Amino acid sequence: MASTFRIGGDLEVRRLGFGAMHLPTGPGPDRENALAVARRAVELGVTLIDTAHLYGGGANEELLAEALHPYPKDLLITTKVGVARTGPGGDWQLDGRPQILRDQVRQALRRLRTERIELLQLHRVDPETPLADQLGTLRELQTEGLVGRIGLSEVTVDELERARELVDVVSVQNRYNLLDREHEAVLDACAAAGIAFLPWRPVAWGNAGARAAIAAVAAELGTTPTQVALAWLLDRAPVVLPIPGTARIAHLEENLAAADLKLTPAQRERLDGSAEAWSEKTPGPA
């Protein structure tokens, strides 16, 4: 199992990254702890950190810059645009209008203290704005040298296929974990095309039966259920780059230790079976 992956064929990162969404951005001790967590992630070898304009309206980007700038040469901080406070009363809503995307990229460059975002992801496809306008804007920013590579988030297979007709898509960030495989087909499409797949919410627990199956494998390996769930993702396909997030250094260290965990074929088969059984017994959304 390879420990690294080249996003877009040339941007090499370690496959187990860090999602910064949960880091507190307000003043005080919580912020100091958040800065320490981000720095510890890099100390432990993380080379992929995920953030977004949505996370505090850019405050999360500013936090990462405060913690890590000037950035190590091998560190990739990827951010997302396309959700804005343009709804009624200033509510957050999907907004992929070209002017909004351009403005959020300009803000991200300033907050991250960089001249180029090496990987920019469209946070969601805005159904009210033509996809060609949304991706066309990102392609223009790429041509201008402000964006290096383009990714997507929470897309279907059809949306991915349509997007690839417009731009070179190098990453997809969808919700996915051992017990939540709604986007299995998207992952398979990414694996076939060599597109990086960044599962958000990479660790989630189902009912007691599913948890017991994961705990049993963890006990055999002398590790934790969280580490088993992350090891399963890393073993799922070489394009998978999990980005578990936490605001605690102890949890961060636990998560990253999963990179060294090896599942046997029999253990993987049991985990797959427990997840499938759980999915069959779980009713769909109302």
Side-chain angles (χ1 to χ4, degrees):
M1 180 174 64
S3 61
T4 64
F5 181 80
R6 293 182 181 271
I7 299 175
D10 64 343
L11 191 60
E12 187 171 21
V13 296
R14 289 186 64 178
R15 288 184 58 208
L16 196 51
F18 176 68
M21 180 179 70
H22 297 294
L23 294 180
T25 57
D30 285 347
R31 184 182 186 86
E32 294 305 313
N33 178 72
L35 295 171
V37 170
R39 291 168 182 149
R40 182 59 177 154
V42 173
E43 288 173 0
L44 292 171
V46 167
T47 56
L48 169 61
I49 296 180
D50 174 78
T51 183
H53 178 84
L54 175 63
Y55 307 160
N60 197 263
E61 295 170 335
E62 291 179 333
L63 178 84
L64 292 175
E66 181 180 343
L68 302 171
H69 191 274
Y71 305 115
K73 286 181 60 177
D74 62 350
L75 179 62
L76 168 66
I77 297 182
T78 174
T79 193
K80 300 183 287 295
V81 295
V83 184
R85 283 189 177 277
T86 53
D91 294 335
W92 289 102
Q93 69 173 15
L94 303 186
D95 197 333
R97 291 175 295 169
Q99 64 269 33
I100 294 296
L101 298 180
R102 277 189 165 275
D103 180 62
Q104 290 189 354
V105 169
R106 284 195 295 268
Q107 291 183 46
L109 291 168
R110 174 179 56 81
R111 289 172 172 140
L112 289 170
R113 307 180 199 175
T114 187
E115 296 180 351
R116 175 180 164 104
I117 298 170
E118 291 299 339
L119 175 58
L120 179 75
Q121 301 179 96
L122 184 64
H123 208 146
R124 296 287 189 277
V125 173
D126 176 9
E128 302 301 321
T129 302
L131 183 62
D133 290 353
Q134 297 175 68
L135 295 181
T137 300
L138 300 190
R139 186 178 59 240
E140 290 171 1
L141 291 164
Q142 188 178 39
T143 301
E144 294 165 18
L146 301 179
V147 170
R149 298 156 191 82
I150 297 171
L152 304 171
S153 180
E154 281 303 285
V155 292
T156 64
V157 171
D158 179 64
E159 287 171 334
L160 175 58
E161 290 176 350
R162 287 192 289 125
R164 294 184 68 201
E165 295 174 356
L166 300 169
V167 297
D168 181 19
V169 178
V170 303
S171 70
V172 168
Q173 185 172 329
N174 277 23
R175 189 189 70 252
Y176 185 85
N177 58 64
L178 173 58
L179 300 177
D180 182 355
R181 304 195 213 171
E182 176 184 349
H183 296 294
E184 193 91 50
V186 180
L187 170 52
D188 288 341
C190 288
I195 296 171
F197 185 87
L198 283 62
W200 64 269
R201 196 182 293 163
V203 178
W205 308 118
N207 63 13
R211 292 196 302 270
I214 298 170
V217 172
E220 293 171 7
L221 295 169
T223 186
T224 69
T226 293
Q227 290 170 328
V228 168
L230 291 172
W232 180 89
L233 280 173
L234 290 170
D235 196 48
R236 170 62 178 80
V239 301
V240 175
L241 282 61
I243 46 172
T246 181
R248 296 179 57 185
I249 287 179
H251 286 167
L252 170 71
E253 294 173 345
E254 175 189 349
N255 291 342
L256 296 180
D260 299 321
L261 188 62
K262 308 298 182 186
L263 300 174
T264 68
Q267 288 168 338
R268 169 140 195 128
E269 185 176 351
R270 285 162 53 199
L271 291 170
D272 287 343
S274 67
E276 290 167 1
W278 177 78
S279 297
E280 291 171 358
K281 295 176 182 178
T282 303

